[in-house]
């Protein structure tokens, strides 16, 4: 399974692998927002955490359809399904590779982008905590959408429709955590909820994704 | 003692049975070549045997962890080199040494080339080299010789023969003569399932939802 992770990471950094695509998209979203809502610091500071979360979510969505589609096209997915690795393990490693190439760069870059949006001083730590806890759930839930649409031509839009509603709890509690942290309020409840959602997602969704792939490979 | 035995198997494609009443056995050291016109269900049968889809009826018996499946597509990553592609599959099947496989399939000179710069025949050879690194006794091969030239077909036949000599078995769907004189032939024609309008199995309505 480690071999699969290494292979996916290697593919991501080679030509056409899409590494940095999400990050660039995130940057563009964040720079466009001040043009759209005006550059006043007060307004931006209020919406900054929400915008950063939305940007992270969309950036994550952008690269989801690649998770299984490329392997399906060149036949690797059939071969992986017959290989001695359980398909649940394949899904988990794919999600981890996706998080390392998409989620992790977002976590690292988000504080920098926060500056562009006048994110309040006290919110930086909470932003990082929220993204670290929340983005793995985005990647894992994404594998489910990608698995459901794996055999479809241009399944990207359908996948977005399937996956975005599943992102709602993570978005709500993630943005709430940053907002409360910035305002100096108690953060325990959204923190627990966010961590709990991610933990439950990681525990359950790989089985659902593997089942979806099995059906789609028939 | 057979490595792979099939009893009264019925396989379906798109919810309709294509082959039924199929029984055969492949023993260690034996190759079975499947013949039949396009659409008879060779690929469907092989996918069923590989466990990618369930059979409609019948039994497949095989020791666990015994099969290596090679489909129409080779499953190569175009931006990885030949050696990296092969090393990945070697790691997945927990066998380490890729050198013998490179040697056998005459790929040693290409080992550091990216897979996207290989010709169709070279890609196919790499796909077949994958079988050698799996270390599995039962090879299930779907049209293994597509885009191979005569010399490479001979190379492949030699690899199959070496595999059989070490107690392996092979099940090969192909249209051309591999030069494997010792292989048994199985014509799938007589096992063709009757279409639904001729009184055959109607298929299950809920197939698409399960």
């Amino acid at each position: 399974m480690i071999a699969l992770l290494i292979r996916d990471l290697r593919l991501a950094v080679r030509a056409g692998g899409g590494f940095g695509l999400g990050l660039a998209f995130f940057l563009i979203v964040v720079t466009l927002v001040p043009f759209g809502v005006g550059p006043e610091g007060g307004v931006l500071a209020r919406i900054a955490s929400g915008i950063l979360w939305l940007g992270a979510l969309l950036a994550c969505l952008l690269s989801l359809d690649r998770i299984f589609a490329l392997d399906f096209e060149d036949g690797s997915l059939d071969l992986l399904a017959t290989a001695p690795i359980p398909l649940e393990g394949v899904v988990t490693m794919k999600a981890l590779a996706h998080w390392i190439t998409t989620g992790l760069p977002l976590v690292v870059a988000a504080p920098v982008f926060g500056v562009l949006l006048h994110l309040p001083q006290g919110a930086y730590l909470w932003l990082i905590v929220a993204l670290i806890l929340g983005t793995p759930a985005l990647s894992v839930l994404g594998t489910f959408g990608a698995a459901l649409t794996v055999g479809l031509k241009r399944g990207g839009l359908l996948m977005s429709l399937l996956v975005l509603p599943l992102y709602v709890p993570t978005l709500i509690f993630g943005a709430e955590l940053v907002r409360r942290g910035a305002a100096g309020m108690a953060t325990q409840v959204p923190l627990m909820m966010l961590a709990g959602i991610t933990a439950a997602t990681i525990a359950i969704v790989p089985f659902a994704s593997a089942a979806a792939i099995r059906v789609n490979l028939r | 003692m057979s490595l792979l035995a099939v009893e009264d198997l019925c396989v379906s494609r798109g919810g309709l049975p294509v082959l039924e009443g199929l029984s055969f056995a492949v023993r260690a050291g034996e190759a079975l070549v499947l013949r039949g016109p396009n659409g008879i269900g060779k690929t469907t049968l092989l996918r069923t045997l590989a466990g990618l889809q369930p059979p409609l009826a019948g039994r497949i018996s095989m020791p666990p962890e015994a099969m290596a499946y090679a489909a129409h597509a080779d499953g190569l990553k175009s931006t990885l080199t030949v050696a990296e592609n092969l090393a990945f599959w070697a790691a997945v099947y927990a066998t380490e040494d890729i050198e013998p496989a490179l040697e056998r399939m005459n790929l040693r000179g290409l080992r550091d080339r990216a897979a996207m710069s290989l010709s169709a025949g070279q890609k196919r050879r790499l796909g077949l080299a994958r079988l050698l690194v799996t270390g599995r006794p039962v090879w299930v091969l779907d049209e293994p010789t597509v885009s191979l030239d005569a010399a490479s077909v001979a190379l492949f036949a030699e690899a199959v023969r070496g595999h059989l000599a070490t107690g392996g078995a092979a099940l090969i769907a192909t249209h051309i003569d591999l030069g494997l004189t010792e292989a048994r032939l199985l014509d799938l024609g007589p096992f063709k399932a009757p279409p639904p309008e001729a009184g055959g199995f109607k298929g299950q309505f809920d197939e698409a939802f399960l």
Side-chain angles (χ1 to χ4, degrees), chain A residues 122-133:
Chain A
Y124 284 92
L125 175 68
W126 292 111
L127 178 67
I128 295 174
V129 170
L131 284 174
I132 285 182
L133 285 178

Side-chain angles (χ1 to χ4, degrees), chain A residues 51-62:
Chain A
I51 296 294
L52 285 169
W53 259 102
L54 263 181
L57 208 129
L58 294 176
C60 186
L61 196 64
L62 197 64

Side-chain angles (χ1 to χ4, degrees), chain A residues 155-175:
Chain A
L157 180 62
L158 179 60
M159 191 197 60
S160 309
L161 291 177
L162 288 169
V163 164
L164 278 176
L166 299 176
Y167 282 177
V168 170
T170 300
L171 176 64
I172 290 175
F173 290 109

Side-chain angles (χ1 to χ4, degrees), chain B residues 84-107:
Chain B
E84 282 169 343
N85 266 303
L86 211 49
F88 165 67
W89 289 109
V92 165
Y93 283 89
T95 56
E96 292 309 320
D97 202 9
I98 62 166
E99 293 305 323
L102 286 173
E103 185 68 55
R104 286 272 279 288
M105 279 295 154
N106 195 17
L107 287 164

Side-chain angles (χ1 to χ4, degrees), chain A residues 25-38 43-59 106 110 113-114 116-119 127 131 171 174-176 178-179:
Chain A
F25 181 79
F26 191 32
L27 173 66
I28 290 171
V29 168
V30 168
T31 30
L32 285 183
V33 169
F35 291 122
V37 301
V43 179
L44 281 177
R46 243 197 355 262
I47 60 170
S49 70
I51 296 294
L52 285 169
W53 259 102
L54 263 181
L57 208 129
L58 294 176
L106 293 187
F113 295 170
L116 294 174
L117 293 175
H118 296 268
L119 191 70
L127 178 67
L131 284 174
L171 176 64
E176 180 69 3
V178 182
R179 196 186 62 80

